[in-house]
Amino acid sequence: MNFKIRHYIDLITVLTHKEMKVRYKSTFLGYVWSIAHPLAFAFVFFMAFKVVMRIQMEGYAVFLIAGLFPWQWFSNSINASPTIFLHNSSLIKKVNLPRNALPLATVLQDSIHFLLAIPVIVLFLFIYHKSPSFSWLYGIPLLLCIQLLMTYGLCLMIASINLFVRDLERLAGIGINLLFYFTPIIYPETMIPARYKTLVLFVNPLSSLMVSWRNLFLDGSLPVLLVFVSFIYSLFILIVGYAIYTKLSWKFAEVL
Amino acid sequence: MSSPIIVFDHVRKSYPLYQHMKGGTKHLLFHLPNVWRSIKNSTYEVLKDVSFEVKTGEALGIIGRNGAGKSTILGLIAGVLKPSSGKIVVTGRISPLLELGAGFHPELTGRENIILNGIILGLTKTEIIKKLDEIIEFSELGEFIEQPIRVYSSGMLARLGFSVVAHLNPDILLIDEILAVGDLEFQKKCIDKMIGFKKNRVAIIFVSHSISDIVRICDRVLWIENHTIKILGEPPDVVKSYTS
C-alpha cells in the first residue's frame, strides 16, 4: 500500500482512539454517559408529549429512542466542530499534517458511540415486542455512510470558517437546536400539516436521513426516496464543506 | 558538499491583519465595503527578501529579537505557511520539535503520547512501535512513562518531546527554543544527539536565544533583524556583532 495512504489511516486511527480514550477518562461510568444523554432526552419528551399532552401513538418511547440516537451522533459532532481546529492550534502551526484528519476523527468517534448504543435500541424494541430485522445488515452500513459524509462535510465547513469568524460557535449551537425541532424526531412525519410537509421533509437535509434511520430501526424498511434524497444531500454537503476547507486551509496557521 | 536541501529564494511573507474580524458577523455585515477594503490593504510584513540555502548535514542557527520572524521561517520550512512571494524548495522528511507538550494529550500516558506524537509527525504505526523501547529508554522517564503526562514537570515533557523527535529519522530537524527547560544533563544529551544527527547528514535549523548552544552546534548563523537578513555567516563573527 502507498505510504501516504497507510500513514493517513494510522493517523485517523490513532486520533480517533485518542478521542475515545480521553472522552471518559477518570469517569466511573464511562460508556454509560454516551447513552445517558439521549435516554434522558427521550424521557423528557416522553413525559411532555405522551404523559402530559397525550399524543395518540403506539410505542412512543421506542419511537423516540430510534430517532434520538442517530440525532445524538449528529449533534455531538456538530457541537464539537467549531473548536476542532482551534484546540489543535499548536499542531496546525507546527506540523504539516493532513488537517482534515482532525474533524474526521471527531466524527468517527461519535459514530462509534452511536454504534455502541444500538443495543439499547434493540432492548427497547424487545420491550415493545418488536425485533431487529435482517435489513439492518445492509441498512445500517448504508445510512451510516450517508450520515458520516454529511456530518463530516458540515464539520469541516464549521471548523474551518470558525477560525476566521468565531461567531459560528454560537450560531452552530442555536442552529442545532432549531434544526432538531424542524426534523421529525419527536413527532412522526405523518403529523406534519400538509402545507409544511415538503418543506420539513425535503428542504431540511436532516429529515430524510433521520426518518430513514427510524423506519429502519422500527420496522426494517428503507424508504428508497428518502434514502436517495439524504444521499444526494450528504454528497452535496461534503463537496461544499471540502471546497471551503481547501480554500481556507492554507491560511489556518496564520490566524491561529 | 552536497546539494541544498532547503532553498529560500527571495521569500516574502506578509500576514493580513485579521482585525476586521474582531467585530464578528454583525460588524462584517454592516460595514461590508469598509471591511473589504481593510482586508485588501492591511497587511503586516514579517519577512521580506529572504534568501538562503541549507545543505544536508549542515546546522543553521537563527537568532534575532522576539517577533523578528524566526518562527515564521520555521513555519515556512515546515510547510504550514505559504510564502506571499518568492520560492521555497524543501526536500526530505521534516521533523519539527514542537513547543512543550504540543500535540501531546495530558490525559494519555507517556507511552500513549509517544505513539500519538510519532504518527502525527509522520511515522506509521509499525514504525513507531518498533522504536518505542528505544525512545522510552532515551527519555529516561522510568516508571513515569505509564503515568498520564499531566503529572509531568515541564522538564519531563521536554524529555519526552525530544526523545520522540530524536528517533524520527528526519532529513531536516527544526528546533524552536526548547532545550532551556531540561536539566543540564539532559540538555547535554540533546546536544550530543544533535551533533550525532549532523554526522548522519541531517540538516538542522536551530532557533535559540542561547548563544553558547548556537556556537556549539551551528555551522552558520542567520541573524534576522527588521524582517530581513542582517548577517549570514560563521557563528563567531555573527555572534560577535549580535552581542555587541
Side-chain angles (χ1 to χ4, degrees):
Chain A
M1 215 191 322
N2 185 309
F3 177 83
K4 263 195 167 154
I5 298 173
R6 207 172 50 203
H7 177 246
Y8 193 79
I9 294 172
D10 282 349
L11 185 63
I12 298 285
T13 319
V14 80
L15 286 174
T16 312
H17 188 72
K18 177 199 90 176
E19 297 223 2
M20 296 283 291
K21 259 203 165 135
V22 164
R23 184 156 163 177
Y24 296 117
K25 212 137 199 188
S26 315
T27 62
F28 284 115
L29 295 176
Y31 159 72
V32 173
W33 292 118
S34 63
I35 53 176
H37 202 237
L39 280 180
F41 256 136
F43 177 70
V44 168
F45 290 120
F46 186 79
M47 287 303 288
F49 295 113
K50 186 72 183 177
V51 178
V52 179
M53 297 178 70
R54 303 202 191 132
I55 188 173
Q56 295 301 311
M57 245 186 98
E58 286 294 309
Y60 186 57
V62 70
F63 171 90
L64 278 174
I65 299 278
L68 278 169
F69 276 97
W71 175 264
Q72 182 72 12
W73 164 18
F74 175 76
S75 82
N76 276 348
S77 293
I78 299 302
N79 280 325
S81 65
T83 52
I84 292 174
F85 290 141
L86 272 182
H87 286 173
N88 285 294
S89 63
S90 52
L91 274 187
I92 287 172
K93 277 156 83 172
K94 302 267 163 162
V95 192
N96 194 4
L97 84 171
R99 292 143 176 182
N100 55 30
L102 296 167
L104 186 54
T106 305
V107 177
L108 280 176
Q109 188 252 140
D110 285 324
S111 72
I112 291 169
H113 279 280
F114 164 68
L115 284 177
L116 290 174
I118 289 182
V120 180
I121 302 177
V122 176
L123 184 72
F124 271 83
L125 283 176
F126 283 134
I127 294 175
Y128 283 83
H129 306 293
K130 295 176 181 215
S131 54
S133 2
F134 278 112
S135 56
W136 286 23
L137 287 177
Y138 57 87
I140 290 179
L142 178 67
L143 294 184
L144 199 78
C145 281
I146 294 177
Q147 182 157 348
L148 206 63
L149 299 183
M150 190 183 286
T151 317
Y152 179 49
L154 211 54
C155 276
L156 260 182
M157 197 185 309
I158 297 173
S160 306
I161 298 177
N162 191 53
L163 290 180
F164 300 87
V165 189
R166 302 270 158 98
D167 309 53
L168 213 61
E169 222 168 311
R170 321 279 158 181
L171 211 64
I174 298 172
I176 267 286
N177 255 325
L178 286 180
L179 207 55
F180 176 73
Y181 290 99
F182 284 114
T183 308
I185 292 170
I186 53 172
Y187 49 85
E189 65 277 16
T190 45
M191 277 179 81
I192 307 169
R195 253 199 307 169
Y196 303 111
K197 201 161 179 175
T198 336
L199 193 70
V200 173
L201 214 51
F202 293 108
V203 176
N204 174 355
L206 263 304
S207 295
S208 43
L209 182 61
M210 291 300 147
V211 172
S212 303
W213 272 120
R214 192 171 55 211
N215 282 332
L216 179 68
F217 283 136
L218 291 184
D219 54 24
S221 66
L222 269 178
V224 179
L225 177 67
L226 290 179
V227 174
F228 181 72
V229 169
S230 58
F231 177 66
I232 296 298
Y233 263 124
S234 69
L235 272 190
F236 174 73
I237 291 173
L238 182 70
I239 291 169
V240 173
Y242 205 83
I244 291 178
Y245 160 80
T246 316
K247 201 159 162 42
L248 295 177
S249 67
W250 67 274
K251 287 188 187 162
F252 283 0
E254 291 181 8
V255 286
L256 274 168
Chain B
M1 229 142 128
S2 47
S3 58
I5 193 166
I6 302 172
V7 180
F8 269 52
D9 185 15
H10 297 285
V11 169
R12 185 176 68 86
K13 176 68 189 167
S14 59
Y15 289 107
L17 288 174
Y18 283 97
Q19 266 162 356
H20 54 275
M21 292 304 183
K22 277 195 186 141
T25 324
K26 194 179 88 189
H27 180 82
L28 192 81
L29 289 178
F30 285 119
H31 305 276
L32 207 53
N34 282 337
V35 169
W36 185 244
R37 225 171 297 139
S38 76
I39 293 175
K40 295 221 124 176
N41 295 333
S42 65
T43 57
Y44 172 71
E45 278 215 323
V46 191
L47 292 175
K48 48 193 175 198
D49 200 26
V50 172
S51 305
F52 64 89
E53 289 181 357
V54 180
K55 299 190 171 70
T56 48
E58 188 183 22
L60 179 77
I62 304 182
I63 52 176
R65 270 192 249 164
N66 295 128
K70 303 187 292 291
S71 299
T72 302
I73 293 184
L74 289 189
L76 287 165
I77 296 173
V80 296
L81 295 170
K82 275 189 183 175
S84 308
S85 68
K87 219 175 98 184
I88 296 173
V89 183
V90 177
T91 37
R93 175 133 100 183
I94 303 166
S95 99
L97 195 38
L98 303 175
E99 65 197 57
L100 271 189
F104 286 150
H105 196 287
E107 289 293 340
L108 299 180
T109 66
R111 184 188 292 272
E112 290 167 332
N113 268 302
I114 292 174
I115 296 173
L116 174 68
N117 212 238
I119 292 176
I120 282 175
L121 293 177
L123 295 189
T124 61
K125 190 152 186 176
T126 10
E127 286 176 303
I128 191 80
I129 297 282
K130 229 182 278 168
K131 292 177 180 170
L132 199 54
D133 290 333
E134 207 182 325
I135 295 174
I136 292 173
E137 198 184 320
F138 184 87
S139 73
E140 297 174 2
L141 286 166
E143 56 200 34
F144 271 100
I145 206 72
E146 309 298 347
Q147 295 288 320
I149 63 163
R150 64 185 148 84
V151 305
Y152 284 26
S153 69
S154 54
M156 290 161 78
L157 279 177
R159 277 169 179 259
L160 192 65
F162 189 84
S163 307
V164 176
V165 170
H167 292 83
L168 288 179
N169 293 344
D171 300 309
I172 302 168
L173 188 63
L174 305 178
I175 300 177
D176 192 357
E177 195 59 66
I178 62 107
L179 296 180
V181 281
D183 54 37
L184 280 178
E185 184 207 348
F186 192 73
Q187 279 187 24
K188 190 180 167 303
K189 201 170 172 183
C190 293
I191 303 238
D192 288 348
K193 188 80 190 177
M194 277 153 79
I195 290 167
F197 269 129
K198 262 174 67 177
K199 286 206 185 100
N200 289 324
R201 321 286 302 140
V202 176
I204 300 175
I205 311 292
F206 186 45
V207 170
S208 181
H209 290 292
S210 158
I211 298 296
S212 58
D213 285 348
I214 292 259
V215 173
R216 190 142 27 133
I217 296 168
C218 300
D219 305 308
R220 284 190 301 159
V221 178
L222 184 64
W223 176 10
I224 299 286
E225 181 144 315
N226 283 328
H227 313 299
T228 188
I229 297 178
K230 178 128 177 176
I231 311 177
L232 172 60
E234 301 282 313
D237 306 338
V238 181
V239 164
K240 204 172 148 199
S241 29
Y242 180 66
T243 46
S244 63

